[in-house]
Amino acid sequence: MPDAASLPPGPHVDAESFAEFLRTLRRFVDEVLIPREQELESTEVIPAEVVEQMRELGLYGLSIHPDYGGLGLSTTQEILVHEVLSEAAQGFRYAYSSNVGIGSRGLALDGTDEQKAFWLPRLAAGELIACFCVTEPDAGSDVASLKTRAVPSTGPGGEPGWRLTGTKRFITNADVAGLYTILARTDPQESGARGISAFLVPRNTEGLRIGKPESKLGQRGGNICDVILDDAWVPASALLGGEPGKGFVTAMRTLDSGRLGVAANCLGQMRRAIDEAARFALERRQFGQPVAEFQLVQALLADSETDWMATRSLVLDAARNSDAGQNVQRMAACAKYFASEALGRVADRCLQVLGGAGYLADYPLERIFRDARVARIYEGTRQIMQLVIARQLLKDYS
Ligand SMILES: Cc1cc2nc3c(=O)[nH]c(=O)nc-3n(C[C@H](O)[C@H](O)[C@H](O)COP(=O)(O)OP(=O)(O)OC[C@H]3O[C@@H](n4cnc5c(N)ncnc54)[C@H](O)[C@@H]3O)c2cc1C
């Protein structure tokens, strides 16, 4: 259990209160989430009472400023929270994580005062779910090539606004969201990043449709779907920040902070995988002794623990720099890159420790192995992380 002396105070939550919060979350993970993992895997639905408990714990507003009803945790505090919660099946995170991360971040960073005052308290309270719609069928890593367009157009009462047309793909929580931040091209003359804007589109907008949930490898409990916009009209006040042409920068800033969150999720998954493997190795006997006594099995555990410790140092260092007001684009990319690769290695080694049992759905390692894979893909693939890191590094030398 963490004691306050070892924990960072945030601007809004002191170290003592934060230590108590982490202890509460630890109990929530051990007593509520982990016992219901098998149920989540088979039903693919987060139980309503679990969602309600998450609301009561304040999980929807972890990152949102207290002025808007959130907890306003520092980045370091948020990382430590994600780490604990990610020890349970990743599917549970779908309930609140988009409100904490990519769904609210762009709004908090670049929204107008009116936009923030209208949306953020609802997101912090978990009254509605937010999602962030960048990816398209023909625009994944190459965000600047997106084709969804927004054209100026008056609404039914003659008021100024925009009409949006296009398809967004793989959108987390699109099926349950109430607010969609949509990236669209507002300047048809500008084919790159400068012609892109972000719009805050409510669920009940005429012309907005949601595709059917995709069947995916892991992270059961949350869905990704297409978001289809067919001449969907929104008022001028829906333009994020009130100024066109800023959407690409907002998206990149949103993803920079989201990447530290992904890295923290990797940490929690690694910890759980190591715990499961170590416990199993001490109990399982072969050749007359626990398999934990074989040095080749110990090597699997030692390499995993080392990966976990190295990742933790990297992620917390990036978080502290972020809290100190530094630009952490490169560090966040390094952290996400290293953490997601390390998680892949750890999940693979820990599954190996369980032998055949590791391959069975009755044991958590099988799920952890599947849940882990996407960390190397979403919020910037491994290759895109390498490009971001190298580009930033080379800038220092040119
Ligand atoms: C579970 C899940 C949830 C998601 N949630 C969201 C969401 O909420 N909102 C959202 O907008 N998107 C979301 N995505 C989409 C995700 O961000 C994209 O899948 C990701 O950015 C990669 O894009 P892509 O799939 O089109 O792959 P592509 O960009 O087509 O890449 C294919 C391959 O080419 C490589 N590649 C591409 N460009 C380069 C390059 N320049 N140099 C070297 N290699 C390159 C990639 O690394 C990859 O290996 C989600 C995806 C998943 C699987």
Side-chain angles (χ1 to χ4, degrees), residues 109-342:
L109 284 170
D110 291 334
T112 63
D113 289 346
E114 294 74 27
Q115 289 167 341
K116 289 195 260 195
F118 185 79
W119 291 111
L120 287 178
R122 291 171 171 80
L123 299 183
E127 274 170 34
L128 56 82
I129 303 295
C131 63
F132 188 60
C133 312
V134 180
T135 307
E136 298 184 354
D138 295 321
S141 301
D142 185 8
V143 173
S145 71
L146 63 82
K147 295 199 183 83
T148 295
R149 61 182 196 280
V151 292
S153 167
T154 49
E159 62 275 49
W162 300 83
R163 272 185 201 284
L164 276 68
T165 301
T167 298
K168 295 293 176 180
R169 182 136 296 169
F170 302 154
I171 304 305
T172 299
N173 280 340
D175 54 336
V176 291
L179 172 65
Y180 302 77
T181 300
I182 307 261
L183 253 68
R185 188 166 300 287
T186 40
D187 182 352
Q189 311 303 327
E190 180 58 70
S191 59
R194 278 198 298 271
I196 294 171
S197 305
F199 292 89
L200 300 166
V201 181
R203 170 73 176 230
N204 58 4
T205 302
E206 215 175 300
L208 178 130
R209 223 161 22 91
I210 309 303
K212 67 172 180 35
E214 304 291 347
S215 168
K216 48 187 175 46
L217 177 67
Q219 308 214 336
R220 297 191 180 139
N223 288 320
I224 59 173
C225 314
D226 277 3
V227 174
I228 303 125
L229 299 137
D230 186 6
D231 245 358
W233 185 84
V234 289
S237 59
L239 177 64
L240 184 70
E243 230 186 293
K246 307 267 188 209
F248 184 83
V249 174
T250 298
M252 293 305 119
R253 292 176 74 203
T254 301
L255 289 171
D256 281 346
S257 61
R259 282 170 189 155
L260 280 182
V262 174
N265 299 334
C266 293
L267 272 175
Q269 291 174 80
M270 278 189 240
R271 191 67 254 153
R272 176 74 184 284
I274 296 167
D275 285 354
E276 294 289 341
R279 275 187 238 285
F280 184 95
L282 287 167
E283 276 183 15
R284 171 74 177 165
R285 297 178 73 84
Q286 286 297 284
F287 300 96
Q289 62 190 71
V291 297
E293 286 178 20
F294 297 120
Q295 289 181 336
L296 292 176
V297 171
Q298 290 176 7
L300 293 169
L301 293 171
D303 288 355
S304 298
E305 184 72 3
T306 306
D307 263 334
W308 176 77
M309 286 198 75
T311 307
R312 199 161 194 272
S313 302
L314 174 56
V315 176
L316 287 176
D317 195 35
R320 280 190 286 267
N321 276 285
S322 172
D323 285 332
Q326 290 188 25
N327 178 341
V328 293
Q329 190 187 40
R330 185 194 325 182
M331 285 186 110
C334 289
K336 198 261 185 190
Y337 174 39
F338 189 85
S340 58
E341 295 290 329

